[in-house]
Amino acid sequence: MKIGQKSVTGQTHAKVINDFVVPTLHTHFPRGNGIFQEDNAAPHRSKVATAARENAGIVTLDWPAQSPDINPIENIWAEMKMMIRCHSPPPSSISVLMEYATGAWNDIPPEYYRKLIKSMPRRVDAVISANGNRINY
């Protein structure tokens, strides 16, 4: 995975886990019943990232490799990118990009998330029918 021109390493991903994932899970799942989902990108599978998840007691959802069709976050990213590209002028710095991205995230209505969640059974059925091959979601 690349952010800008910088490759994300396992060490960087472990820092993201510790700095953002752990506090978010504690906030939203104070009883410790949250399940974390991420794809199988190399930094996510690294020893250091795996150790960070295990040390934090994070339960992860098993997820097939290269499965964007059944990951609704991809739809959210696409929506956010479209919203950010509509800004004039375009972002001129990382801080402006962060401002636009935060605004886009906050402006996505809850109905959109509900629609994506409701689409999951259809997505899974379609992937099964396509023998795991790409589908149109």
Side-chain angles (χ1 to χ4, degrees):
M1 173 192 325
K2 288 190 177 194
I3 298 176
Q5 295 299 315
K6 183 179 176 184
S7 292
V8 175
T9 65
Q11 190 68 42
T12 302
H13 189 62
K15 182 166 175 39
V16 169
I17 290 168
N18 290 321
D19 292 354
F20 298 101
V21 175
V22 170
T24 299
L25 285 172
H26 286 200
T27 297
H28 294 287
F29 301 96
R31 294 185 190 138
N33 59 343
I35 299 175
F36 184 60
Q37 185 266 320
E38 60 188 350
D39 63 20
N40 289 305
H44 302 170
R45 295 187 324 267
S46 69
K47 289 179 183 178
V48 67
T50 300
R53 284 190 306 275
E54 288 175 358
N55 290 340
I58 295 173
V59 175
T60 57
L61 179 66
D62 287 334
W63 203 256
Q66 299 181 2
S67 58
D69 299 320
I70 56 174
N71 189 346
I73 195 69
E74 299 299 336
N75 299 90
I76 295 169
W77 295 146
E79 185 72 17
M80 288 178 64
K81 286 177 191 176
M82 183 192 70
M83 294 166 78
I84 291 167
R85 287 184 181 125
C86 289
H87 278 276
S88 183
S92 56
S93 66
I94 294 295
S95 62
V96 173
L97 177 59
M98 285 293 295
E99 178 185 324
Y100 289 0
T102 301
W105 180 265
N106 291 331
D107 288 344
I108 295 176
E111 296 79 29
Y112 186 73
Y113 299 113
R114 287 186 198 104
K115 176 183 155 193
L116 291 174
I117 292 165
K118 286 181 182 178
S119 75
M120 290 308 297
R122 292 188 307 276
R123 289 171 187 250
V124 171
D125 287 344
V127 169
I128 291 168
S129 294
N131 294 317
N133 293 312
R134 187 156 182 78
I135 59 170
N136 293 322
Y137 265 93

